[in-house]
Amino acid sequence: MLAEILHTLPQVLIDGLALGAIYAIVALGYTMVYGILELINFAHGEIFMTGAFIGTAILITLTGLGWIAVMPALLALLLVLVITSVLTGFIGMGIERIAYRPLRKAPKLITLITAIGVSFLLQDLVRFITEVKRGNYILTGPSMFTDRVEVKTSSVLSVFNDASFKESFIIVFVVAAIMMITLDFFINKTKWGTAMRAVAQDRDTSALMGVNVNKVIGLVFFLGSALGGATGVLFAIQYGTIDPYIGFILGLKAFTAAVLGGIGNIRGAMFGGILLGVLEMFASANLTLMTNGVFGAEYKDVFAFAILILVLLFKPEGIFGKVVMEKV
Amino acid sequence: MHILELRDIHAFYGGIQALKGVNLYVDKGEIVTLIGSNGAGKSTTLKTISGQVKPKQGNIFLNGKDITSALPHETAVSGVAQVPEGRRIFPRLTVKENLEMGAFSVKNKKVVAERMEKVFHYFPRIKERLSQRGGTMSGGEQQMLAMGRALMSGPNVLMLDEPSMGLAPIIVEQIFSIIKELNESGMTILLVEQNAYQALQIANRGYVIQTGEILMSGQSSVLLRDDQIKEAYLA
């Protein structure tokens, strides 16, 4: 059995990294907002979905105008990523301004329910617009970066099978890595990043330092939503077909990844996302084999979430969550 | 013109009227202390000045400018720095980052570096701990860091809320002598203290607050000799 698991391991890792990178960036949005407001922003999965639709819509429009044919594909992608992330960034900021800020002093549960409401609103809005424009709410964008690349992993270790991936995998992974590294740098090394961490730790005292707390919270929503929207574009390119409900389950999993890594912890969210993606792909490839056919690949989520429960049983604060000793 | 002035301030805190017509002023270069027992309204007075509590009635002036309705970050930027009760260091930021946050509104990096040197002059121990997380320091060190952080903004008025709270007597001595030193170099200070005797020792003037009202005010030397104050606060 071990040999068979090893056969597929290179492919599992490649697919797991692509999915995990997507989980990781969406997880960042959850963890940043949670870190600063202690709010589980359920609408964040929908921001991701909205990004996927906006990106696909732009791509379809550009194709219709005949621009895609003349433009280098990478340039088109960059353009779509930038426009989409700016738009979703502002949508996220707007949601905070309209739906969450008035409830800042209300019990957390009220805001949570509002977030679920916003989530439904975005789903239906996107569904409505897409149906009006296309007659169907399931959308398939123009295919890009679909050439397959073979990786001769069998020559590395004879027990491995060869693996392959679509070119889009590289795009997903590189863009995701750039976004994560940039965000990490921004949060840890810049003045506004430090202000974000300060507001997360002590809002009142941050204000006494001259920090406009509302501006910082707006910034957090902008960044999280911009990254989430861009990830939606990556998802659409990697997996082709999208519908208004992709944000729900993916958002749930990304939130899980954030908890797995330690909610509120940026690097934890990145790690948790990658881990969850790889676990899921591993289960998808090997569950049938490991359970003698009792559980099929469709139980991959059960497997991934069982791992989550195990981790949290032994480390409730998550893998990177730290219980900081604070002296008074 | 007073650098800071409160006129007839009425304020509510947690549903109860915490301030009932407080009048108070601070002149440039003074140390003014606000003393009183627990729950008398000392902290609420500071919070009203910094904008964390909105007064129901009355006005607050900074250099003659009405700042009554200013938000906390606006008041901070206009030159009032507050060292909050319980220090409120950012526990998971490093000591250096804590200081940098104090200078958040300062755009010029050179000015920030100069001010940091000045902070090291008053609190040499901070310099040895720059990369340590704020939350891991002792209470005395945190108090020093909180004061250093407040100085980083280059304030016109420095407000200190119970700097002696929970500290060993020897540390309190140090803190008070640094407050005195800061004042001698020109800093205007509003000091809130339960430790009335020590506060009056270094202050020019004092106000005694009781259940939200100013009971008495005057030169520290006069207040120190007052029988009523001696009995209530200096015993």
Side-chain angles (χ1 to χ4, degrees):
Chain A
M1 188 176 78
L2 189 67
E4 286 176 67
I5 291 177
L6 282 175
H7 286 331
T8 55
L9 194 62
Q11 191 65 50
V12 163
L13 283 178
I14 286 174
D15 294 341
L17 280 178
L19 187 63
I22 287 173
Y23 288 159
I25 309 176
V26 180
L28 285 173
Y30 280 104
T31 230
M32 278 161 64
V33 167
Y34 185 87
I36 215 152
L37 289 181
E38 283 178 27
L39 163 72
I40 300 165
N41 179 17
F42 271 112
H44 188 62
E46 265 48 68
I47 293 280
F48 158 84
M49 176 275 294
T50 308
F53 272 83
I54 293 178
T56 307
I58 299 174
L59 275 175
I60 290 174
T61 313
L62 287 180
T63 311
L65 291 171
W67 289 17
I68 290 286
V70 292
M71 223 189 247
L74 271 177
L75 185 67
L77 176 78
L78 193 68
L79 189 71
V80 172
L81 281 174
V82 169
I83 298 175
T84 307
S85 52
V86 169
L87 285 176
T88 52
F90 279 117
I91 294 173
M93 248 172 107
I95 292 171
E96 190 275 328
R97 183 70 192 82
I98 295 166
Y100 302 154
R101 196 181 297 178
L103 296 170
R104 190 81 58 75
K105 292 202 170 78
K108 294 277 182 313
L109 193 59
I110 309 286
T111 328
L112 188 74
I113 292 166
T114 309
I116 295 173
V118 172
S119 178
F120 284 134
L121 188 76
L122 279 176
Q123 272 178 16
D124 285 343
L125 205 64
V126 169
R127 181 181 165 145
F128 176 76
I129 295 171
T130 316
E131 271 183 332
V132 166
K133 293 272 180 203
R134 313 280 296 183
N136 186 346
Y137 64 80
I138 298 172
L139 194 61
T140 305
S143 45
M144 293 171 87
F145 312 109
T146 47
D147 293 347
R148 290 206 82 86
V149 179
E150 292 290 329
V151 193
K152 299 269 174 241
T153 34
S154 57
S155 62
V156 178
L157 210 61
S158 58
V159 66
F160 289 158
N161 287 348
D162 283 344
S164 75
F165 53 82
K166 286 199 299 177
E167 274 183 347
S168 59
F169 161 74
I170 302 180
I171 306 273
V172 170
F173 204 72
V174 170
V175 174
I178 292 173
M179 290 199 286
M180 287 192 269
I181 292 166
T182 311
L183 182 75
D184 194 76
F185 176 85
F186 177 81
I187 288 178
N188 288 308
K189 299 285 177 222
T190 67
K191 187 166 162 174
W192 280 91
T194 310
M196 275 167 59
R197 284 180 291 144
V199 171
Q201 291 170 35
D202 190 336
R203 211 182 293 167
D204 290 342
T205 305
S206 300
L208 290 181
M209 305 293 118
V211 177
N212 185 341
V213 172
N214 280 333
K215 218 167 161 180
V216 168
I217 292 174
L219 177 69
V220 165
F221 272 85
F222 182 88
L223 287 177
S225 305
L227 294 182
T231 314
V233 177
L234 296 180
F235 181 91
I237 286 172
Q238 172 77 357
Y239 300 103
T241 302
I242 52 173
D243 68 61
Y245 306 104
I246 53 168
F248 176 70
I249 190 74
L250 194 134
L252 212 56
K253 284 182 185 168
F255 172 65
T256 305
V259 174
L260 189 64
I263 188 108
N265 184 309
I266 300 288
R267 287 178 190 172
M270 299 180 192
F271 181 81
I274 302 279
L275 183 66
L276 193 68
V278 172
L279 280 175
E280 199 180 310
M281 282 303 163
F282 178 82
S284 167
N286 299 312
L287 260 187
T288 317
L289 190 69
M290 293 193 310
T291 60
N292 281 323
V294 178
F295 294 111
E298 66 273 21
Y299 283 90
K300 62 183 169 45
D301 291 352
V302 178
F303 177 81
F305 278 79
I307 301 274
L308 168 84
I309 292 171
L310 271 179
V311 169
L312 294 186
L313 275 178
F314 292 103
K315 211 163 180 315
E317 69 276 12
I319 297 169
F320 284 87
K322 277 188 208 120
V323 187
V324 178
M325 291 294 287
E326 283 159 27
K327 290 180 189 167
V328 184
Chain B
M1 188 173 59
H2 308 301
I3 194 162
L4 180 70
E5 186 180 7
L6 278 69
R7 273 188 218 154
D8 192 32
I9 292 293
H10 294 254
F12 289 77
Y13 195 64
I16 42 168
Q17 186 164 8
L19 301 180
K20 303 165 185 165
V22 168
N23 287 292
L24 176 159
Y25 70 88
V26 181
D27 280 331
K28 196 165 166 37
E30 275 190 314
I31 298 185
V32 172
T33 183
L34 180 62
I35 56 178
S37 49
N38 228 343
K42 303 188 299 294
S43 283
T44 309
T45 307
L46 287 200
K47 283 182 173 159
T48 315
I49 299 169
S50 61
Q52 291 175 306
V53 171
K54 285 279 156 266
K56 274 271 170 313
Q57 195 187 315
N59 293 85
I60 303 161
F61 298 93
L62 179 69
N63 286 319
K65 198 178 139 227
D66 193 330
I67 58 159
T68 317
S69 56
L71 294 167
H73 70 268
E74 294 167 342
T75 306
V77 172
S78 60
V80 179
Q82 185 182 351
V83 180
E85 191 178 351
R87 0 230 190 261
R88 306 282 286 265
I89 290 303
F90 298 111
R92 290 183 299 285
L93 295 191
T94 64
V95 169
K96 185 154 185 264
E97 286 170 338
N98 265 282
L99 290 174
E100 285 165 352
M101 282 311 293
F104 184 78
S105 56
V106 184
K107 296 268 186 295
N108 188 334
K109 280 192 178 152
K110 224 178 106 196
V111 175
V112 176
E114 281 168 15
R115 290 207 182 130
M116 212 177 272
E117 282 305 319
K118 224 165 148 189
V119 169
F120 297 153
H121 163 76
Y122 288 109
F123 308 101
R125 266 153 80 185
I126 290 182
K127 197 175 179 177
E128 300 155 22
R129 308 260 162 140
L130 282 179
S131 57
Q132 195 179 326
R133 281 174 191 247
T136 61
M137 299 210 299
S138 73
E141 288 165 344
Q142 288 195 16
Q143 182 59 47
M144 293 180 190
L145 177 56
M147 287 168 66
R149 185 179 65 177
L151 290 174
M152 289 298 291
S153 66
N156 301 123
V157 183
L158 179 66
M159 306 199 294
L160 299 149
D161 197 349
E162 306 257 9
S164 74
M165 195 171 66
L167 300 181
I170 182 152
I171 308 286
V172 176
E173 289 283 340
Q174 281 180 31
I175 300 274
F176 273 77
S177 81
I178 293 168
I179 294 173
K180 186 89 186 124
E181 205 183 321
L182 277 169
N183 174 252
E184 277 158 6
S185 71
M187 182 63 69
T188 308
I189 290 167
L190 176 56
L191 170 66
V192 157
E193 259 302 335
Q194 259 191 73
N195 193 338
Y197 181 73
Q198 255 169 322
L200 286 171
Q201 287 285 325
I202 62 165
N204 303 95
R205 289 186 301 115
Y207 290 84
V208 183
I209 189 169
Q210 193 175 32
T211 58
E213 287 173 286
I214 300 291
L215 200 69
M216 208 182 283
S217 65
Q219 295 297 316
S220 299
S221 50
V222 177
L223 292 177
L224 274 168
R225 283 195 306 269
D226 188 277
D227 286 340
Q228 207 184 332
I229 292 179
K230 266 187 189 162
E231 199 174 317
Y233 302 102
L234 304 178

